[in-house]
Amino acid sequence: MFDLSFLAAAITPINLLLALAGVVAGTVIGALPGLTATMAIAVLVPFTFVMPPTSALITLGAIYTGAIYGGAYAAILLNTPGTPSSIATTFDGFPMAKGGNGDLAMTLACLASVVGGLVGAFCLMLLAPPLATVALSFGPIEYFWLAIFGLTLIASLDEGSTIKGLIGGCIGMLLAMVGVAEVGGDIRYVGDFQSLLGGIDVVAALIGIYCVPVIIDLAANATPHLKTPEKVRGYRLSEAVGLIRRGKANVVRSSLIGTVIGILPGAGGSIAGLVSYSEAKRVSPRRDNFGKGEPDGVVATESANNATVGGGLIPTLVLGIPGTPPDAIILGALLVQGIRTGPTLFNDQSAIVYTFIWGLVLATLIMLPVGLFIGRYAFKTIIAIPKTMLVPSVAFLTILGSYAINNNEYEVQQMVVLGCLAWGLARVGFTASPIVLGIILGPIAEHGFVQGYLIGGAKGSIAAEFFGRPISLGIIAFIILGLLYPYIIKRRAQRRAAQAQERA
């Protein structure tokens, strides 16, 4: 695995050029709301069919890495995640930008993404076979409880109230049930609208719920979108490096969380970012600053979601089970190249697979200068654009992104309706993140619940199936902790305040 011949094959001039082009293309596409990492790879994958296998895989890995990082641009500068993986980046990234620290947030996101990507890639290189067995331990029941765990986390992180966060998650899950049920084929909540038979597209919902309220608020508010700094401070690289070094435990922990969650098929960067953000907030002495522009929040999310790139490739390469939708496209490209994934891949075709992994490391390192350069000028550009141009530009991108998913005008309509609904709910204290996570996690929870119910019924003990498995019990314990944690913190604060008054 550390054979220098694999590294030498990865750093040939053509592979370096392809990695650079892939990172740039992925970053630009990922930065545009609605144009996800999956879409970036799907659009560009045909160009790799004429390349040698190693060059093709390095290009796809570079596009994937760049697109996951690129989602941070819109999350920080527009409060709109460019990709689902950047949902949690909006929590602190946009408040930092509004406070005049958008340049620092962009640099932090770049550095954290590079560290997370490297951790994921080296875990892929060193631990692929043993870590892949973790994915096999998760059945339908575990995925059901994992989805519920994700919903309780976002509810507990809601800046309003836990109850409203849970209600928002339930609204998202109800929206996820629209259409034909994948298990059983029942038609649900479509009314007379035939266009809803296929359900609500996740990306269209993401664009609408995050982008439309931003567009409405931009148009309704005459004040500048972002605070213009008194002086241009460049990349603020030394300041960002200092923050990363101060929070090195946060970076490492979040990267490992992202790697492990990336291994679980279907989990992906959105859950990884959420879990790592929750954990960073839980252990931070500055937990009250989270949601108000805390740099550690950006670092936790971006290091975790980029670590899922390497983590998601572990089950893809070792088991032939794609960890995320982009991994499924990469798996298809492997098959086109005549590469069969499985436990023997690392022995039978070690030259290709290890060259690819070194290429992923190379692409992650290239992302550092590319990300810093693009991030600096993206921040300066967004600040300089007047609202009369920014509002129609963002509106055009939302319509283009939602239509480009399946070339379906009905998904544009879904996007607009859901966006207006989210804007109305925001007026009464419901934030967007629980609703979006409900839409994303709803199908995972439903699949796991229905399959677990059927399996438990066949075994004659449904309760034992849901509450008698060791991994499930561990996840349930975390769910209870996640729900009780806000109240525990509140009680501790009240007790400390009471003790301080007694001393006074």
Side-chain angles (χ1 to χ4, degrees):
M1 66 182 69
F2 289 108
D3 190 333
L4 294 181
S5 64
F6 301 143
L7 176 60
I11 60 174
T12 59
I14 185 63
N15 286 340
L16 284 171
L17 184 61
L18 289 172
L20 175 61
V23 168
V24 172
T27 302
V28 172
I29 294 174
L32 301 177
L35 303 185
T36 64
T38 306
M39 188 179 298
I41 297 174
V43 169
L44 300 174
V45 71
F47 295 100
T48 66
F49 292 158
V50 296
M51 300 178 185
T54 52
S55 297
L57 292 174
I58 288 172
T59 303
L60 293 175
I63 295 169
Y64 188 7
T65 300
I68 294 294
Y69 161 66
Y73 289 113
I76 292 171
L77 301 178
L78 297 174
N79 200 26
T80 300
T83 63
S85 299
S86 300
I87 289 174
T89 307
T90 62
F91 298 168
D92 285 290
F94 185 66
M96 286 185 69
K98 287 193 71 174
N101 290 312
D103 45 4
L104 177 60
M106 297 300 299
T107 300
L108 278 173
C110 183
L111 293 176
S113 296
V114 170
V115 174
L118 290 174
V119 170
F122 281 114
C123 285
L124 171 63
M125 185 181 297
L126 297 172
L127 305 174
L131 284 179
T133 59
V134 176
L136 293 178
S137 302
F138 275 68
I141 304 299
E142 285 77 15
Y143 278 110
F144 166 73
W145 287 120
L146 185 64
I148 300 301
F149 177 49
L151 289 172
T152 56
L153 279 179
I154 193 64
S156 66
L157 288 171
D158 189 80
E159 293 302 317
S161 69
T162 300
I163 299 300
K164 283 188 175 180
L166 289 172
I167 293 173
C170 291
I171 292 173
M173 293 188 76
L174 283 173
L175 291 172
M177 293 180 183
V178 172
V180 179
E182 294 187 29
V183 180
D186 301 306
I187 298 176
R188 306 171 300 191
Y189 311 126
V190 299
D192 296 326
F193 298 97
Q194 299 296 313
S195 59
L196 292 177
L197 287 173
I200 294 175
D201 185 85
V202 173
V203 179
L206 177 86
I207 297 170
I209 291 173
Y210 276 107
C211 294
V212 172
V214 170
I215 294 170
I216 295 174
D217 290 338
L218 283 173
N221 194 341
T223 58
H225 170 54
L226 294 176
K227 180 180 178 180
T228 304
E230 297 179 359
K231 62 178 181 178
V232 178
R233 290 171 285 185
Y235 299 105
R236 300 179 68 177
L237 187 58
S238 60
E239 187 176 352
V241 170
L243 289 171
I244 292 285
R245 291 180 61 185
R246 186 192 72 186
K248 52 183 176 293
N250 177 31
V251 180
V252 174
R253 179 180 59 248
S254 300
S255 299
L256 293 176
I257 288 174
T259 302
V260 173
I261 291 180
I263 295 170
L264 306 177
S270 56
I271 298 178
L274 176 64
V275 173
S276 63
Y277 183 90
S278 174
E279 184 64 15
K281 181 178 180 180
R282 185 184 68 82
V283 303
S284 175
R286 300 176 301 280
R287 64 175 63 91
D288 292 338
N289 293 335
F290 277 70
K292 302 174 184 177
E294 172 58 42
D296 282 349
V298 176
V299 170
T301 304
E302 286 302 305
S303 55
N305 62 29
N306 278 270
T308 61
V309 175
L313 286 169
I314 290 174
T316 304
L317 296 178
V318 178
L319 303 174
I321 302 173
T324 61
D327 293 325
I329 301 174
I330 292 176
L331 179 60
L334 285 166
L335 297 176
V336 170
Q337 295 284 356
I339 301 171
R340 294 290 180 265
T341 58
T344 61
L345 174 65
F346 284 75
N347 292 324
D348 296 345
Q349 294 179 297
S350 59
I352 292 176
V353 69
Y354 283 117
T355 302
F356 165 51
I357 296 173
W358 278 114
L360 190 62
V361 172
L362 174 68
T364 305
L365 293 173
I366 290 175
M367 190 168 65
L368 179 60
V370 169
L372 289 174
F373 180 80
I374 297 178
R376 177 183 181 182
Y377 288 99
F379 177 62
K380 292 171 62 177
T381 302
I382 290 294
I383 288 179
I385 294 177
K387 279 194 174 183
T388 52
M389 293 180 60
L390 184 63
V391 172
S393 298
V394 176
F396 172 74
L397 287 174
T398 59
I399 295 172
L400 178 65
S402 56
Y403 181 78
I405 303 165
N406 296 308
N407 295 330
N408 189 338
E409 64 185 63
Y410 295 113
E411 289 173 0
V412 178
Q413 297 171 7
Q414 292 177 14
M415 180 268 293
V416 174
V417 171
L418 290 175
C420 293
L421 174 65
W423 183 82
L425 289 173
R427 306 279 75 76
V428 292
F430 289 93
T431 55
S433 297
I435 301 174
V436 170
L437 263 294
I439 295 173
I440 292 174
L441 298 175
I444 300 174
E446 182 185 3
H447 260 259
F449 178 81
V450 173
Q451 291 177 1
Y453 186 87
L454 294 175
I455 293 171
K459 291 181 177 179
S461 179
I462 296 174
E465 189 68 18
F466 276 90
F467 298 98
R469 298 163 67 95
I471 298 178
S472 297
L473 291 175
I475 299 175
I476 291 171
F478 280 112
I479 291 172
I480 295 172
L481 179 62
L483 289 173
L484 295 179
Y485 184 71
Y487 298 103
I488 294 172
I489 294 299
K490 186 176 180 180
R491 289 293 299 274
R492 282 183 180 176
Q494 291 174 345
R495 192 180 301 115
R496 289 171 182 170
Q499 291 173 351
Q501 289 179 352
E502 291 176 1
R503 294 192 191 100

